[in-house]
Amino acid sequence: MRYSQSTELAIDSLLYMAARPEASDFSVEQVAAAQEVSASYLAKVFQQLVKAGVLRSHRGSKGGYALGRPLSLITLRDIAVVFEGSSPLYECDGYARTCSLGPKCLVKATFDEAERKMHEVLAKVSLQDVVAQAGQEAAWTAAHGCAPLPPPVAVTQADSVGQGGATS
Amino acid sequence: MRYSQSTELAIDSLLYMAARPEASDFSVEQVAAAQEVSASYLAKVFQQLVKAGVLRSHRGSKGGYALGRPLSLITLRDIAVVFEGSSPLYECDGYARTCSLGPKCLVKATFDEAERKMHEVLAKVSLQDVVAQAGQEAAWTAAHGCAPLPPPVAVTQADSVGQGGATS
DNA sequence: GACAATTTGGATAAGCAATGTCCGCATTGA
DNA sequence: TCAATGCGGACATTGCTTATCCAAATTGTC
Ligand code: SF4
Ligand code: SF4
């Protein structure tokens, strides 16, 4: 059991956009390049986020994606449920087969409670909390000489290089 | 994201054995028949439980499986980790790619905390708790005329209220 | 209005882990 | 010895996730 890559990619992408409050429309291409994933795939992820209301899309030329709500109203839980679904993690399959215990069963009740507690934690942290903490972190790491995030809003031109043999 | 069928099958099977404390060795065939699954598959599940110490196996003629520990020392968490693994649900893939934040990142920290809380709940409930609650449940449902579990040995013989008619 | 940029949705392939089965071997009690 | 049983490996099947491509729709700009 593991969170899908789509969930992690969505969070990182939203965080990328959240860290650049000045820009209003991000193209899939731009974000995909920053996250080092294919635009094809990220496009699908964004579509799901639009359907969920987390992103707003703007079609046509000069179009792109923007956050659909204030940062403080987008929690980690909101993003997770888009890709992981909201049906219970523990399905209680045996109930349909051999077991005649139902929702009253302590097994099912415990797993549901565990899942609820998990969601409770995720719902308490919004993207705003994350960027705020990242900002403090940035100040700390800057004092030690490492770059905490790809430089904000500084990416404009100067990307005519880069496509050569990357690895090895 | 969902718990694997193996996890649910394991729990139901262990519960089946736990409800019959007199029998000491259960063959795969017997349990598989009760759970209405193939013996082939259940055998694989049991092998993993043996490796984890939850079950003890007894090879050879008259062999079978028995619980490896007292009921009170087998928690739902113990069973879950056998099939779901213990690595974090949120892998933080972007960390390896583009993100330079690490374990200090609030995203990762929050998901880890959520998972920890979840495990905390699961670790608090043992098989003993489940069978005890099922016993109480049995008394309650018996008064209403339904069969809560395939009649184990621990049922009071005081009242024989129409246990005959099984479902069609 | 033509054009370019961009999202949308469908179709679909590739990859991978979970599911499910089979069979020969090892072990053990009778 | 023999039968019953678990063990472990190999394998087939299935379904979901990942990933790509393309035609269509939309929209700003010239
Ligand atoms: S035991 Fe509890 S969890 Fe397992 S099948 Fe019966 S009801 Fe569902
Ligand atoms: S943002 Fe946090 S979670 Fe996402 S990759 Fe960077 S460190 Fe891992």
Side-chain angles (χ1 to χ4, degrees):
Chain A
M1 194 166 56
R2 173 174 110 69
Y3 282 98
S4 74
Q5 283 183 227
S6 295
T7 298
E8 307 200 5
L9 176 56
I11 291 177
D12 291 340
S13 298
L14 289 169
L15 230 37
Y16 173 89
M17 297 164 76
R20 292 160 182 78
E22 314 175 326
S24 58
D25 277 305
F26 300 85
S27 73
V28 167
E29 287 279 358
Q30 176 186 355
V31 181
Q35 301 297 327
E36 296 181 12
V37 296
S38 82
S40 310
Y41 187 50
L42 186 63
K44 291 302 183 191
V45 170
F46 275 13
Q47 280 180 31
Q48 291 188 258
L49 289 171
V50 169
K51 243 187 288 184
V54 175
L55 281 183
R56 275 186 315 103
S57 68
H58 185 191
R59 293 168 69 153
S61 177
K62 301 277 181 180
Y65 293 93
L67 297 177
R69 293 178 243 152
L71 283 182
S72 59
L73 295 183
I74 302 176
T75 69
L76 295 183
R77 179 178 179 279
D78 294 332
I79 306 169
V81 296
V82 172
F83 302 95
E84 312 300 333
S86 53
S87 63
L89 294 182
Y90 196 91
E91 296 275 7
C92 181
D93 272 0
Y95 178 43
R97 279 201 308 270
T98 61
C99 182
S100 51
L101 301 173
K104 289 170 169 289
C105 168
L106 187 55
V107 176
K108 173 68 170 156
T110 303
F111 274 97
D112 281 353
E113 165 77 0
E115 188 179 353
R116 200 184 59 75
K117 280 253 172 98
M118 184 164 108
H119 277 197
E120 212 170 65
V121 173
L122 297 183
K124 270 195 191 130
V125 176
S126 72
L127 289 186
Q128 185 163 62
D129 300 328
V130 177
V131 295
Q133 200 253 13
Q136 297 176 7
E137 202 62 39
W140 185 88
T141 50
H144 291 68
C146 2
L149 267 181
V153 201
V155 279
T156 48
Q157 58 278 73
D159 53 312
S160 55
V161 196
Q163 280 292 359
T167 55
S168 80
Chain B
M1 193 167 54
R2 175 172 110 69
Y3 282 98
S4 73
Q5 285 184 228
S6 295
T7 298
E8 307 200 7
L9 177 56
I11 291 177
D12 291 341
S13 298
L14 289 169
L15 231 36
Y16 173 88
M17 298 166 74
R20 291 159 182 80
E22 312 177 327
S24 57
D25 278 304
F26 299 86
S27 73
V28 167
E29 287 278 358
Q30 176 187 354
V31 182
Q35 302 295 328
E36 295 180 12
V37 296
S38 81
S40 309
Y41 188 48
L42 186 63
K44 293 301 184 190
V45 170
F46 274 14
Q47 281 179 31
Q48 291 188 258
L49 289 172
V50 169
K51 245 188 285 186
V54 175
L55 282 182
R56 276 185 314 105
S57 67
H58 184 191
R59 294 169 69 155
S61 177
K62 301 277 181 178
Y65 293 93
L67 297 177
R69 294 177 241 153
L71 282 181
S72 58
L73 294 184
I74 302 177
T75 70
L76 295 183
R77 178 179 180 278
D78 294 333
I79 306 169
V81 296
V82 172
F83 302 96
E84 313 299 334
S86 53
S87 63
L89 294 182
Y90 195 92
E91 295 275 7
C92 181
D93 271 2
Y95 178 43
R97 279 202 307 271
T98 61
C99 183
S100 51
L101 301 174
K104 289 170 170 292
C105 169
L106 187 55
V107 176
K108 173 68 171 156
T110 303
F111 275 97
D112 282 353
E113 166 76 0
E115 188 179 354
R116 200 184 60 75
K117 280 252 172 97
M118 184 165 109
H119 276 197
E120 212 170 65
V121 173
L122 297 183
K124 269 193 191 135
V125 176
S126 72
L127 289 187
Q128 184 162 62
D129 300 327
V130 177
V131 296
Q133 200 254 12
Q136 298 176 6
E137 202 61 40
W140 186 89
T141 50
H144 292 67
C146 4
L149 265 182
V153 265
V155 179
T156 53
Q157 304 95 342
D159 51 356
S160 51
V161 191
Q163 282 279 1
T167 55
S168 60

